[in-house]
Every structure is written in C-alpha cells, then in structure tokens.
Amino acid sequence: MTEFALDTSTGILIIVLFGLFWIGFGYWLGRKNKSHEDFALAGRNVGFAFAAATAMATWVTSNTTLVAPQLTFQFGVWGMIGYSFAALGLILFAPMAKRIKQLLPNGYTSGDFIRLRYGQFAWVVFMIISVVYAFGWLISLGMAGGILLESLTGLDYHIGMTTILVICVGYTLFGGMRAVIATDFIQALIIIAGVSFIAYWLIDNIGLSSIHENLTAEHPKLLDVLFPAAVMFLFNNIFFGLGEIFHSNVWWSRALSFKKGVAYKAYLTGGLMWLPIPIVTGFIALAAPQLGIFPPSMDMIGPTVAAAVLGKAGAVIVFVVIFSALASSLDSLLAATSDLVTQDIYHKKLKPKASDKNLMRFNRSCIFALGVITWLFCLPKIATLGALLNFAGAFVASTIWPILLGLYHKKLTGTYAAIAMAAGTACGMIGYFAIGFYVAALVSCAVSGLICAVGIMTSQYNFDWKQLQEEDAHANG
Amino acid sequence: MLMGESVFEWMIITALILSCLAPVVLLVLWVKDLISKTIW
C-alpha cells in the first residue's frame, strides 16, 4: 500500500471522538465505585450478558485481528483453524471459573490463590511469569495500536501508540472494572459486526470459489492440510491459549467479579462466540494473493486487504474494529495487572493494614504507572507482534498443570509446582530458540506436566481446601 | 493433500454465520438482564 487508506486528519478525528466517548463513559460508570471491591471487581455483581461479552471481547485482541490473518498467510488454513482452537482456553476455563468462585468466594487475584495453595516460593515464580506475560501482552497491544494508526492513516507510530494508551489508561483509571466490562460489551458488538461485514463483502464480491481456485493454482501450501509446521502450530496454540487463560489474573478477576452462578455459563458462551472469529479474520488474509496484496509488514495483511477492497469505508471499519479489539484487551490487562500488584504485593506484603481508600488510590496509581512503563517499552518497535506473542508462550504454558492440579488435586506441593513452572519456562525458551516459536508452549507444557506428575506420584501431602477460605475470610475482615 | 473447495466453503460460511449470531445472542442476553434488573 503506497498510499494510506485514510487521511491523517480523518484518523485523528475518529480517535479523538472515540477517546472522548470511552473516557466519558468510564467516568460515568466510575461514579458508582464506592469501595476498592467496587473498583477492582465491579462489586462482584456482573450479570450474564456483560460477563459473556467481556470474556469474548477480552480474548479478541490485536492478535486475533492482526496476527490471525498473518498466521493464516504463513500457515494457510491451519493458521486460522489453529488460532480458533484458542477458544478451548475459554471453554475449559468455564468449570474452573466456577471452582474458583467456590474456593475463593472473597478472593481477588490468581496470585492470592497460588500463595495460599502453594506458598511463597511458587508465588514468586508465578508472579515473575505473570508480570513477564502481562508486559509482553501490554507491549504487543501498545505496539499494535501504533502500527495500526501508522498503516491506515500515516500517523507517526509514536503518536498513535501514545494516543491509544492514553485513552485506555484514562477510562480504566476513572471507571475500574465496571468501565472495563461495560466497554467490552460495546466493543464486542463492534468487533464481531465489523469482521463479519468485511468477510461477507469479500465472499459477495470476490467469491469463495475464486479464492480457492487462486490458492490451489498459485499458493497450494496455504490449503495443505498436512503442512507439518502448521499442524505443530495448531497444538502449540492450544497450549499457549490454555496457559494464557488459566494463569492470568485477567480471567481470574473476571470470574471473581461475576454474580454467583454466572461464571461457568459466561466463559462457555464467550468461548463459543469467539471460536469462529479467527477463521473469519484469517479468511480475509487468504484473499490477499488474488488481490495482489503483499504488505511490507505481515501483521497488517488483514487490515490492508480490507482497506484495499472496501476503500475508505473499509479502512474506517478496520480502524474502529481493531481499535475496539485493542482497547477491550488493553483495559482488561491494565485493570487485572494493577489488581495483582495492589492486592498481592502492596496489600499482602507491604501494607496489610491499608485502608480501603488507600487500596483504591494505590490501584489507580498502579494503572497509571503500568501505562507509563508500557509506553516506554513500546517506544522502540522491538519485535513483530507474532514473535512477541509467541515468546510469552514459553512462560504461560508452564502454569497450566500447576493451576489445574492446584484447583482440583490435593497432592501437588508448592516446591514441585514452582519447579514445574520454572523448568517448563526454561525448556520452552530453549525450544523457542532451538526449534521455532511454534514449539515453545508445547515444550513448556510437556516439561511442566512431567514434573507435576513426578510430584504427585511421590507426594504424601494432602492440601486442606479450607486453608484458602480461612485466610480469605481473615483478609476481608 | 489440499483442502477441497466444498470443505473450504463450508468452513468459511459456517464461521461467518456463527459470528453473525454472536451479537444477536449478546443483545438478547442484555435485554433479558435489563428486564430482570441483573445487569450489575
């Protein structure tokens, strides 16, 4: 694309209007926050509609809208099918969310659970993984914002990235979890309607047969169902998705903020609604070869196709959809990570007697600080989005077994859980560098699982579930 | 082995139909929550 699909002034106008709306909406919702529990967990009273929408919208990130088309272009049909299998993370988290609500009715974070279930050593390892992952995701989102604005409007990367961060930090700061969830609902509707419209337009105007014909003749690899690296990617992506969701406080804090009886059905519905989206966004990329589109940055394959075929209107739709996808994840991550730091480090370790007002103030400062740190890391464009994302796979996949067994099995001890997470991460990183990004999560999960299995087989330990609730009740007065 | 045209078409069309249904489901759930006053 030699010319930009939107002129810079149109891009700035959209982002200013969007920014004002989201920040104003966040401020309006934030007026209802009377306590830290209101701010961090929306009063633990989120209904089914908002719960299902936030589960789905948070999982539709810049990665779904930018990286899924990129991977489809690299791995063909397995790229999009593999990506859609990440829905399994949400679907399998549904029963876990119910269990989390039962075990920790007054809990705040995933870190809370790890500390109470496994002790200090495992908690430290877990927090390192969580923080690395959270920053990896935050940076990839911030970078995606800058890349998006630059590609579509020609606006300088640094200005675009800064603007998106300011907007998301702004409304999360004012409205807390309530604003995050309510905006997610609207963003979910925008995202699905937008990507569906673009895919429909491509089918209607170019035709599925024509796209298939072109791929068969010119790029048969993209239709190959026995593409070894792509099949490996599929499995890797499943474990990556499971690791991301099972460990991240983004999903735990949501489970804890939902009304009683809502968590299970909300995650299940959110997962089922998310499942077809990577196929729809990936399909957009498959039309690229026929249209003669080969963008300089593979991250932008989806938006470039949409902008090329739909013109200015398409560019506006892409802009709004990806902005919504970015915002719905960025706000969630800011809120969940600041909850983790406020509750697990500030409240539990530094100021156990901090007042509710203090906690709320610290939580807000944390959101602001996270925004600033993310901005600093985003200043240099350090990696492509896909590379940054998959690097985190080595970290998060190592937590799958310790989390799962921690919730359902009494025998795994903290030492084995900590070793499983640390060794899994180390081996996953070796796999990442020695073989390729598409095996990092697989290796990490396998090594961690093996260590957990040894831990259980040799264990005489029997964890008492009541230990989670006793501390929980004590902590909440 | 290449994916056949009919499988390819079915996969894309099914995904598109399912993704079009999602906003409808969300709006129905929202109206239901609104009526029963259980949004928050």
Side-chain angles (χ1 to χ4, degrees), chain A residues 123-422:
Chain A
W123 177 80
V124 170
V125 178
F126 179 80
M127 288 299 279
I128 293 170
I129 290 172
S130 282
V131 170
V132 168
Y133 168 74
F135 273 110
W137 196 7
L138 274 171
I139 295 162
S140 88
L141 292 169
M143 278 170 44
I147 293 170
L148 163 75
L149 283 172
E150 192 176 42
S151 303
L152 291 177
T153 69
L155 190 69
D156 178 64
Y157 162 81
H158 297 98
I159 299 174
M161 178 270 290
T162 308
T163 315
I164 283 183
L165 277 174
V166 166
I167 293 169
C168 292
V169 168
Y171 74 76
T172 311
L173 205 59
F174 286 128
M177 184 63 104
R178 213 180 284 272
V180 169
I181 288 177
T183 51
D184 276 1
F185 182 82
I186 302 170
Q187 286 155 356
L189 297 178
I190 294 173
I191 295 163
I192 311 170
V195 296
S196 303
F197 175 75
I198 295 167
Y200 174 75
W201 196 96
L202 280 171
I203 292 172
D204 199 41
N205 287 274
I206 300 174
L208 280 169
S209 305
S210 168
I211 293 172
H212 187 273
E213 237 170 66
N214 178 272
L215 292 173
T216 309
E218 308 287 334
H219 304 274
K221 200 93 183 150
L222 298 181
L223 288 173
D224 191 353
V225 289
L226 299 173
F227 189 170
V231 177
M232 195 74 96
F233 163 76
L234 180 135
F235 287 105
N236 187 69
N237 207 49
I238 291 173
F239 289 110
F240 187 7
L242 294 181
E244 279 186 281
I245 293 186
F246 284 12
H247 97 284
S248 173
N249 194 46
V250 166
W251 310 100
W252 282 67
S253 61
R254 269 168 178 63
L256 293 164
S257 69
F258 297 163
K259 271 185 212 296
K260 203 177 170 191
V262 162
Y264 178 83
K265 52 185 186 179
Y267 275 107
L268 191 62
T269 311
L272 292 173
M273 285 193 298
W274 190 90
L275 188 74
I277 292 175
I279 296 180
V280 174
T281 55
F283 161 69
I284 295 168
L286 288 181
Q290 188 169 2
L291 295 164
I293 295 170
F294 301 96
S297 167
M298 293 308 289
D299 299 351
M300 292 307 293
I301 185 89
T304 312
V305 170
V309 295
L310 289 171
K312 201 170 176 175
V316 172
I317 295 171
V318 168
F319 187 92
V320 171
V321 165
I322 300 183
F323 182 86
S324 301
L326 285 169
S328 66
S329 306
L330 201 50
D331 60 4
S332 304
L333 203 53
L334 284 167
T337 312
S338 65
D339 287 352
L340 201 66
V341 176
T342 306
Q343 188 64 18
D344 284 58
I345 299 174
Y346 181 72
H347 191 201
K348 291 285 159 65
K349 301 285 173 199
L350 303 174
K351 297 257 181 193
K353 289 181 182 169
S355 67
D356 202 60
K357 209 175 165 185
N358 269 339
L359 290 175
M360 209 150 139
R361 198 181 304 132
F362 185 85
N363 204 327
R364 283 201 160 109
S365 314
C366 239
I367 292 170
F368 182 75
L370 282 172
V372 173
I373 297 169
T374 305
W375 179 77
L376 287 172
F377 274 109
C378 285
L379 283 176
K381 275 161 77 177
I382 46 179
T384 70
L385 299 178
L388 192 67
L389 171 76
N390 285 296
F391 187 71
F395 287 77
V396 298
S398 72
T399 63
I400 296 173
W401 291 110
I403 293 275
L404 203 57
L405 293 167
L407 280 169
Y408 292 99
H409 209 288
K410 292 178 168 188
K411 283 197 171 295
L412 189 67
T413 62
T415 310
Y416 272 101
I419 294 170
M421 288 189 280

